[in-house]
Amino acid sequence: MTVTAAVTAGASVTAARTGQDARVKRYDCVVVGAGPAGSTTAYRLAREGASVLLLDRARFPRDKPCGGGVTGRAARLLPFSIDPVVEEVVTIAELGLGYDKRVERGSGKPLVYMTQRKRLDAYLVEQAAAAGVEFRDGTKVSGIETNGKSAKVRVNGDSIAARTVVGADGINGVSARVLELGGNQAVGVALEGNLPYGRIDRERFRGRLLIDFATVPGGYAWVFPKGDHVNFGVGGSTEEGPRLREHLRRLCERHGAELDDLGEIRGFRLPMRLASSCLSRGPALLVGDAAGLVDPASGDGMYEGILSGSHATGAVLDVLEGREETLDPYGPRLTRQLAPLLWASWSIKAALDRFPRTSFALAQTQLVWNVVERILQGDLADVRLTRGPARPLLKALALLARAAGDPGRAFRPAG
Ligand SMILES: Cc1cc2nc3c(=O)[nH]c(=O)nc-3n(C[C@H](O)[C@H](O)[C@H](O)COP(=O)(O)OP(=O)(O)OC[C@H]3O[C@@H](n4cnc5c(N)ncnc54)[C@H](O)[C@@H]3O)c2cc1C
């Protein structure tokens, strides 16, 4: 799919400001990678009048190994509705400890919108193109050079000029490496596959997702409902890579399915950034997985991808409109917003890994679940603001995390 919307340099923000010659094309921004982080950044910039080129090495529509769960907070942050590609709205979370003890939680409000990445990402790109973004798929970026005030993006032996560049090319991209940005504290691994409803009871999974804790070291197992199938998946720490298939087999068996019946089994990596990693310099910045923004506890990355895209848009516009010389302020600003979530997320992950029974007993209580639900729905961005009877339970979880080494301490916000 190649969608090319008319973009004239004369209409771009930079060209309008500098009177740039329309025959020498220089984009206001080149976005490398058209996942949720890249396409929503491109969309927002184009809506503000910037000339934007969005590049992806894959031919669209393309799939990406992912549970395809768009949390309420991610959906809320999107600049448009994704209703056309939502296959199931989840309102109930069924939580298990080691496939045994199970509880149901959910206030009845939407928690997660289930989609498939092939459909979602194509839809996001369509919206970007309709907003004026020039999209070229099947176009692999091989290098990026920056000189402080502009960038050159290398594609098929050609060089594309841009005032700014956004690296949104995920964990296997080139941006982070060639720009010498980013850096991860940990990289998780996950494996998932699909089972059609003919082979499993549709009603069992209607409107509900299943999460089984203490099943995969450093992670968990999940079952997500989709339109015509169920998605089974397992994720954990890097060392679990060789055992993921066995974990997936056990998950299937525990929920009445056979691993051999699963189709499209695929694995992928989950990057979790170092608190000290630099995400922007000069005319370049990173968003989404390229920046290592996956949530350590949930393994979600779409919310963080979309959020970083929104911050990136502000930073790029500041440069294009002359309020800033560089994109440097983006990294610290994003870090400040995400720090409380990352700290809490590393804490719950460490507590569940090291003390699964006690941590699960605390985490599955209605009081703590109410906090989790508010985070998932985007109503709470800092657990430290929680008041009332949930507070001692959260403090107990924080103590367990500390006893487990507190891997998120570098993100701990001051105060
Ligand atoms: C098994 C699994 C399950 C997951 N489940 C969920 C979930 O349910 N909910 C959730 O929120 N998150 C989930 N995640 C995390 C989520 O998939 C990622 O965080 C998300 O895809 C990040 O989006 P992105 O736009 O940053 O990068 P990506 O979606 O990885 O997109 C990067 C794009 O860059 C392109 N690209 C790469 N290199 C180049 C190049 N050199 N030139 C041009 N283009 C390039 C790629 O083709 C790709 O299209 C899951 C991850 C895994 C592995």
Side-chain angles (χ1 to χ4, degrees):
M1 175 169 81
T2 299
V3 189
T4 307
V7 178
T8 57
S12 79
V13 176
T14 309
R17 200 162 58 81
T18 61
Q20 178 190 322
D21 184 344
R23 285 165 302 181
V24 185
K25 185 117 178 180
R26 184 176 84 155
Y27 292 90
D28 287 332
C29 186
V30 171
V31 179
V32 182
S39 54
T40 56
T41 308
Y43 171 92
R44 288 183 205 272
L45 283 169
R47 286 295 295 251
E48 294 297 328
S51 63
V52 186
L53 176 64
L54 176 62
L55 304 170
D56 202 292
R57 72 175 172 199
R59 283 261 168 230
F60 272 56
R62 66 102 180 84
D63 216 346
K64 145 101 182 44
C66 184
V70 179
T71 53
R73 64 180 175 173
R76 200 161 142 175
L77 205 57
L78 278 165
F80 44 79
S81 161
I82 55 164
D83 279 355
V85 293
V86 172
E87 301 189 354
E88 181 97 6
V89 179
V90 165
T91 55
I92 301 167
E94 188 180 309
L95 311 174
L97 178 70
Y99 297 121
D100 290 328
K101 193 173 158 44
R102 308 196 78 73
V103 293
E104 267 184 25
R105 293 287 175 252
S107 65
K109 288 190 198 157
L111 281 175
V112 182
Y113 301 90
M114 291 296 175
T115 180
Q116 296 184 59
R117 288 295 298 274
K118 194 173 190 166
R119 297 185 64 197
L120 175 71
D121 290 18
Y123 181 75
L124 298 180
V125 159
E126 274 168 29
Q127 303 309 306
V133 170
E134 184 179 334
F135 175 54
R136 288 188 215 157
D137 62 354
T139 306
K140 182 176 174 178
V141 169
S142 55
I144 303 168
E145 289 143 33
T146 60
N147 71 4
K149 287 232 162 201
S150 63
K152 283 202 169 117
V153 179
R154 299 230 167 264
V155 167
N156 303 331
D158 264 356
S159 174
I160 301 169
R163 173 67 182 91
T164 59
V165 63
V166 170
D169 44 356
I171 187 164
N172 296 328
V174 294
S175 300
R177 182 170 45 81
V178 299
L179 293 168
E180 295 179 8
L181 293 172
N184 294 313
Q185 173 165 335
V187 176
V189 287
L191 187 71
E192 47 112 14
N194 297 328
L195 186 65
Y197 281 128
R199 292 176 180 272
I200 195 150
D201 181 15
R202 208 255 173 271
E203 290 314 309
R204 164 81 178 89
F205 300 99
R206 196 177 289 282
R208 77 171 52 213
L209 60 76
L210 277 58
I211 303 274
D212 284 296
F213 295 101
T215 49
V216 187
Y220 62 86
W222 75 82
V223 188
F224 287 175
K226 302 295 174 74
D228 61 1
H229 66 267
V230 165
N231 177 250
F232 285 87
V234 288
S237 46
T238 306
E239 304 76 53
E240 283 309 299
R243 289 178 286 279
L244 279 186
R245 212 177 162 83
E246 269 320 296
H247 289 304
L248 190 58
R249 182 187 304 284
R250 200 164 313 132
L251 168 72
C252 290
E253 285 168 3
R254 289 307 186 105
H255 293 292
E258 293 284 336
L259 178 70
D260 293 344
D261 289 339
L262 255 54
E264 303 148 281
I265 297 181
R266 299 159 310 171
F268 214 73
R269 297 186 297 150
L270 300 148
M272 296 158 226
R273 69 174 288 226
L274 273 166
S276 59
S277 71
C278 177
L279 301 183
S280 53
R281 189 182 306 115
L285 59 77
L286 302 178
V287 291
D289 277 17
L293 299 185
V294 164
D295 182 274
S298 68
D300 284 9
M302 286 196 268
Y303 164 72
E304 289 77 2
I306 297 161
L307 178 75
S308 56
S310 158
H311 278 271
T313 303
V316 169
L317 289 175
D318 280 347
V319 166
L320 297 179
E321 290 165 5
R323 289 183 293 277
E324 295 283 354
E325 283 291 304
T326 69
L327 299 175
D328 295 9
Y330 159 84
R333 238 181 255 155
L334 180 67
T335 299
R336 261 196 307 282
Q337 178 164 0
L338 282 174
L341 284 172
L342 283 170
W343 170 66
S345 194
W346 274 113
S347 295
I348 186 80
K349 177 185 169 69
L352 278 163
D353 275 350
R354 180 76 177 76
F355 307 105
R357 287 186 182 282
T358 317
S359 304
F360 183 78
L362 292 164
Q364 59 80 38
T365 56
Q366 190 62 53
L367 287 169
V368 173
W369 174 258
N370 292 344
V371 176
V372 172
E373 189 161 328
R374 287 178 61 211
I375 291 173
L376 286 177
Q377 285 161 346
D379 291 329
L380 181 70
D382 188 343
V383 284
R384 294 171 309 156
L385 301 176
T386 306
R387 299 282 173 264
R391 213 172 150 79
L393 301 179
L394 294 171
K395 284 208 157 169
L397 279 166
L399 285 175
L400 290 173
R402 207 169 292 171
D406 199 4
R409 61 189 169 279
F411 291 100
R412 191 190 172 98

